[in-house]
Amino acid sequence: MSTDDLDPYDGEWADVIASWQVEKDTAATWEEHRPGSHVDTSHDVRTVMAAMTAEVKDGPQYDAVPWDWFDGAEIPHLLEQIRHGDTENADRALSRLWNSVCHQGTPSTAGTLAVPFLIRTALARPDPDVLLLVGSLARRPHFGSGTRTGLLRAGEPVDRVVFDCSGHNANWSVQAAQQAIADDTDLLLPLLDHPTATLRAVTAYALAAAAVPARDRITAALHTRFATETDPVTRASLVLAIAQLAWETRDPTTTAHTRAWWQDPTRPTEVRVSAAIAWLCLVDDPIPAELDPLLDAAAADELIDTVRWIHDADGLRNILIMMRNPDDHPWIAHLH
């Protein structure tokens, strides 16, 4: 059965999602005892990523990466086409790569290993779609989740382990991609000042998925860019990126910032709306009545729906339905 044939609000979809997810204790037992267990070995993608040297990444030395172990034999060829092919061939290769390693928003382990090379490609040949793939590979499948507990969650909950269709630990894949972004923070930060607004927006999206060690530096850089940004989509992206980096800890400083931004009537609409959505994800407070007019008016704005987080959640209207009526969508519980 294809998930394309399922209604996301139907119980059958929930059964499919649940079948992809294994609770922590069961998964730990499986990982410990099943044949070919690869915890902390060269078959653990986190270990492979940690061992990838700067020389391999910068080379690029594709032959130093064990693609075959992770069902990614064709990836080096596609990466080479994306970086050095003419525009038509590069676009075709990127489309094939996306379909192979992040099909329908589901990142693969092989795709994780491509992240450092994609980052360098984005520097040599700036393309928003390249960085968009980087950001998508460093996030769990979203399945259109626009709930207050799901919208800004980049990784899986600690009590759930997910295996991809090839049998690899999908949690590890996301963690390794997030670490790759953190390791290359210095390469990505200058792109926040790129003259192309779309590239600035997707750079924020990619950086927002970085692992813990780089989050403070990234957050400071996002605030600096936000202070001078004039593009509406990029402004909204910066707000949501700042909030996503703070989501796991519910950082009180970021929570205060987002509240102040949405309460400030002098702020542009896209800033107030993205800040309101971010704030709702960072707190457990009931949705204030004063937010309703702002959010309802913005839900008709197609520009807002192009912001990547909102696009991933199938638009602001869908987000508002899920945030206002969480009990009406029990299938979402399988994602959290």
Side-chain angles (χ1 to χ4, degrees):
M1 178 191 302
S2 168
T3 55
D4 290 336
D5 300 327
L6 297 176
D7 181 343
Y9 296 98
D10 185 80
E12 194 172 6
W13 174 269
D15 291 341
V16 171
I17 294 172
S19 73
W20 294 339
Q21 301 173 335
V22 184
E23 295 304 319
K24 185 177 182 181
D25 292 344
T26 304
T29 301
W30 182 9
E31 196 60 26
E32 180 180 357
H33 297 294
R34 71 183 176 91
S37 179
H38 305 307
V39 180
D40 296 329
T41 73
S42 58
H43 288 265
D44 180 340
V45 70
R46 299 169 301 178
T47 301
V48 175
M49 186 69 77
M52 201 181 295
T53 65
E55 290 74 19
V56 169
K57 299 174 186 178
D58 295 338
Q61 298 176 17
Y62 299 127
D63 57 356
V65 179
W67 304 101
D68 287 347
W69 294 353
F70 301 101
D71 308 304
E74 74 165 345
I75 291 179
H77 170 70
L78 295 176
L79 289 171
E80 190 66 15
Q81 285 293 309
I82 293 166
R83 185 161 185 170
H84 296 296
D86 58 42
T87 301
E88 183 178 351
N89 285 328
D91 289 346
R92 186 181 298 116
L94 181 58
S95 178
R96 284 181 57 191
L97 181 63
W98 193 295
N99 189 59
S100 173
V101 304
C102 201
H103 183 62
Q104 296 182 338
T106 303
S108 73
T109 302
T112 294
L113 296 174
V115 168
F117 302 109
L118 289 169
I119 289 173
R120 284 154 180 78
T121 295
L123 298 175
R125 186 174 188 162
D127 182 340
D129 287 338
V130 171
L131 285 177
L132 194 58
L133 180 54
V134 168
S136 297
L137 288 167
R139 287 173 169 84
R140 68 190 189 126
H142 48 76
F143 296 118
S145 174
T147 65
R148 295 174 69 173
T149 54
L151 183 67
L152 296 183
R153 186 194 293 276
E156 293 292 344
V158 295
D159 61 349
R160 176 175 296 138
V161 176
V162 179
F163 292 89
D164 65 23
C165 60
S166 298
H168 299 295
N169 188 316
N171 301 54
W172 297 352
S173 301
V174 171
Q175 291 164 12
Q178 291 177 348
Q179 186 59 52
I181 293 172
D183 291 342
D184 285 334
T185 293
D186 288 338
L187 298 181
L188 288 168
L189 287 179
L191 293 179
L192 289 174
D193 296 319
H194 195 275
T196 302
T198 305
L199 197 71
R200 297 196 299 272
V202 295
T203 297
Y205 180 73
L207 284 167
V212 172
R215 289 179 186 173
D216 288 345
R217 290 178 54 230
I218 293 171
T219 298
L222 294 172
H223 275 283
T224 298
R225 181 66 229 180
F226 179 66
T228 59
E229 184 57 62
T230 59
D231 176 70
V233 172
T234 306
R235 276 196 293 238
S237 298
L238 291 166
V239 170
L240 289 167
I242 289 167
Q244 184 155 46
L245 289 165
W247 187 86
E248 288 183 17
T249 61
R250 304 300 199 277
D251 172 57
T253 299
T254 298
T255 301
H257 278 135
T258 55
R259 184 183 183 99
W261 290 336
W262 74 254
Q263 289 183 327
D264 183 355
T266 68
R267 293 277 183 181
T269 297
E270 72 276 358
V271 171
R272 297 188 67 201
V273 170
S274 56
I277 295 298
W279 179 77
L280 290 173
C281 292
L282 292 169
V283 301
D284 296 323
D285 304 39
I287 300 177
E290 63 184 296
L291 265 182
D292 287 335
L294 172 67
L295 296 176
D296 287 338
D301 187 345
E302 293 182 1
L303 180 71
I304 295 292
D305 282 352
T306 65
V307 178
R308 193 63 199 183
W309 290 262
I310 296 174
H311 177 274
D312 284 349
D314 297 332
L316 183 57
R317 288 184 185 277
N318 192 52
I319 289 173
L320 295 182
I321 289 171
M322 291 187 177
M323 288 190 172
R324 287 167 170 166
N325 309 285
D327 294 338
D328 292 345
H329 311 289
W331 70 276
I332 286 291
H334 291 286
L335 300 178
H336 301 157

